[in-house]
């Protein structure tokens, strides 16, 4: 813990914490949308469980850093490109995210009317499994980035814990806001499609700067915030729901 007595150590902690929070935004959005399919009494529990899983997965990956870094070694060659374990995990996670987001958009816009809705129940375990899959994908890239930015594992662990505590504090308000405004929910699903595509590109060696993605997300949210304020008195549309609110 010698880094605590140096300015460089605290600067690294601050930088990593901000990075973890920024990289965790897409995770929070996914957790909020998936947990929203559960009955109201289980949603908060699912969100907290998902974020705690993300924290323990990232810490676990840090503790097995040798294995994580070995995932960057080429495993196979496809279409002239060398693919590593990291590449396959990112591409697989991106495909899952695109599939899940597209299905969510379909269910919310093209599903049966509420009075005809006889969908199967969504289980708490099923939701947690989906969150766990994406936690692993998002955590892998986050940990590899953190290793390149900090010298001490204790700094990385502290940054992860602080970031998750911050996200826990904000997750409920973010989830409620997304559920309360259907257009924001559609934007969030569009963001997840964009992130899924970027993960696939990363998996196949085509780096997409995160700044472009986050700028697009921030600008879209800014425009939608203006729309919400201008049309605050208008009655919002209601998306189809997989489960009733009661």
């Amino acid at each position: 813990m010698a880094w605590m007595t140096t300015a460089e150590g605290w600067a690294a902690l601050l930088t990593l914490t901000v990075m973890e929070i920024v990289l965790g935004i897409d995770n929070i959005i996914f957790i909020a949308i998936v947990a929203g399919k559960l009955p109201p009494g289980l949603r908060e529990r699912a969100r907290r469980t998902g974020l705690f899983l993300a924290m323990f997965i990232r810490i676990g990956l840090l503790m097995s850093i040798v294995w994580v870094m070995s995932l960057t070694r080429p495993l196979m060659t496809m279409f002239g490109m060398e693919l590593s374990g990291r590449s396959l995990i990112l591409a697989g996670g991106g495909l899952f995210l695109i599939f899940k987001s597209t299905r969510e958009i379909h269910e919310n816009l093209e599903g049966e009317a509420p009075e005809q809705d006889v969908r199967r129940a969504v289980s708490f375990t099923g939701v947690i499994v989906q969150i766990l899959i994406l936690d692993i994908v998002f955590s892998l890239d986050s940990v590899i980035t953190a290793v390149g930015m900090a010298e001490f594992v204790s700094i990385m662990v502290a940054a992860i814990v602080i970031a998750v505590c911050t996200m826990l504090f904000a997750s409920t308000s973010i989830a409620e806001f997304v559920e309360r405004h259907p257009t924001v929910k559609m934007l969030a699903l569009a963001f997840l499609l964009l992130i899924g595509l970027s993960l696939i590109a990363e998996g196949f060696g085509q780096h997409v700067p995160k700044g472009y993605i986050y700028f697009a997300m921030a600008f879209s949210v800014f425009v939608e915030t203006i729309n919400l304020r201008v049309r605050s008195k208008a009655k919002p549309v209601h998306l189809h729901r997989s489960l009733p609110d009661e």
Side-chain angles (χ1 to χ4, degrees):
M1 302 292 282
W3 60 267
M4 297 183 70
T5 61
T6 65
E8 292 82 359
W10 287 102
L13 176 62
L14 177 61
T15 303
L16 274 178
T17 301
V18 173
M19 185 204 73
E20 290 290 338
I21 293 173
V22 171
L23 292 179
I25 291 173
D26 40 22
N27 208 359
I28 290 178
I29 293 172
F30 179 81
I31 290 173
I33 291 174
V34 176
K37 298 170 72 69
L38 290 169
L42 291 176
R43 292 173 192 169
E44 181 69 16
R45 180 183 166 196
R47 287 193 294 266
R48 292 184 177 276
T49 301
L51 286 171
F52 274 118
L53 281 173
M55 180 177 71
F56 289 120
I57 287 172
R58 292 183 186 190
I59 292 175
L61 288 173
L62 279 174
M63 295 302 130
S64 55
I65 197 64
V66 174
W67 175 76
V68 171
M69 296 311 293
S70 71
L71 293 174
T72 59
R73 297 172 186 167
L75 293 178
M76 63 179 72
T77 301
M78 183 181 296
F79 306 117
M81 294 180 293
E82 293 183 336
L83 300 179
S84 63
R86 172 181 176 272
S87 301
L88 297 176
I89 291 174
L90 291 180
L95 287 172
F96 174 79
L97 201 54
I98 290 176
F99 167 78
K100 186 63 184 175
S101 302
T102 304
R103 188 172 178 182
E104 286 291 322
I105 292 173
H106 174 82
E107 288 184 358
N108 280 278
L109 297 178
E110 296 287 345
E112 296 178 346
E115 60 272 13
Q116 299 175 333
D117 197 358
V118 290
R119 303 181 202 281
R120 63 185 182 280
V122 179
S123 71
F124 182 84
T125 302
V127 167
I128 295 302
V129 168
Q130 293 179 54
I131 292 173
L132 180 62
I133 292 173
L134 262 296
D135 276 347
I136 292 172
V137 176
F138 290 137
S139 298
L140 181 65
D141 223 24
S142 172
V143 167
I144 291 175
T145 303
V147 169
M149 292 178 63
E151 181 179 355
F152 302 101
V153 173
S154 56
I155 294 179
M156 304 178 212
V157 173
I160 289 171
V161 173
I162 295 171
V164 169
C165 289
T166 303
M167 290 187 287
L168 278 171
F169 179 77
S171 64
T172 299
S173 57
I174 291 174
E176 290 176 351
F177 183 78
V178 168
E179 283 296 321
R180 194 162 58 245
H181 300 286
T183 52
V184 173
K185 186 171 185 178
M186 288 300 102
L187 268 181
L189 289 168
F191 294 160
L192 293 178
L193 284 171
L194 183 61
I195 293 166
L197 180 62
S198 71
L199 287 174
I200 294 174
E202 280 289 337
F204 286 95
Q206 304 300 314
H207 178 65
V208 180
K210 294 290 193 300
Y212 294 140
I213 296 174
Y214 291 129
F215 173 79
M217 293 170 64
F219 184 73
S220 297
V221 170
F222 172 72
V223 173
E224 183 56 25
T225 301
I226 295 176
N227 286 333
L228 290 174
R229 292 187 68 86
V230 171
R231 303 181 183 183
S232 58
K233 294 183 180 180
K235 186 178 181 180
V237 297
H238 295 284
L239 301 178
H240 297 156
R241 300 184 61 84
S242 298
L243 285 174
D245 283 334
E246 298 179 355

